[in-house]
Amino acid sequence: MGGLRAGAVERVEHDYQLWEKRIDALMVLLSRKRRFTVDELRKGIESLPGDAYDKLTYYERWITSITQALIHRGTFTIDELRNKLAEIEKRPDAPKVGKP
């Protein structure tokens, strides 16, 4: 992606959604606890395939990168993540992500 024309940057302020604020807070906390670095965040985002990079929003790129780095570091496994997500989806008040 580096060096390629990306078009004009849209400089519009907006209210952040709760999930975006939580991802930002997660990054701050992980950084302070030295569980994750900004360099790792950047590396993970820059390693995304072009189609994934284009499809994901700013904070979706962040959480994808954070997740991959924590799995790589052994903080949790893919199976542990999968099980936790399944548990969350069973909650009556759980948001239906990606589902109409």
Side-chain angles (χ1 to χ4, degrees):
M1 300 298 303
L4 299 177
R5 291 194 152 279
V9 174
E10 201 174 316
R11 296 183 183 265
V12 177
E13 288 296 321
H14 68 281
D15 291 330
Y16 294 98
Q17 294 181 30
L18 180 59
W19 70 271
E20 293 171 316
K21 291 177 183 179
R22 287 179 174 169
I23 292 171
D24 191 83
L26 178 65
M27 179 60 192
V28 170
L29 292 171
L30 289 170
S31 295
R32 286 186 185 161
K33 294 277 189 179
R34 301 192 191 281
R35 303 265 196 263
F36 190 78
T37 67
V38 174
D39 291 334
E40 287 175 295
L41 177 71
R42 183 177 173 188
K43 179 182 176 190
I45 291 170
E46 291 175 354
S47 298
L48 290 169
D51 59 333
Y53 184 93
D54 289 338
K55 182 178 79 169
L56 298 173
T57 66
Y58 183 77
Y59 282 105
E60 287 173 333
R61 292 179 200 135
W62 273 38
I63 197 61
T64 300
S65 178
I66 291 167
T67 301
Q68 291 302 316
L70 294 176
I71 289 169
H72 179 74
R73 282 177 168 237
T75 305
F76 52 81
T77 67
I78 293 172
D79 285 336
E80 289 171 326
L81 177 61
R82 186 179 294 119
N83 292 338
K84 187 64 174 180
L85 290 172
E87 175 188 317
I88 291 168
E89 285 183 352
K90 290 178 184 174
R91 295 178 187 167
D93 61 340
K96 303 302 179 205
V97 178
K99 297 176 185 174

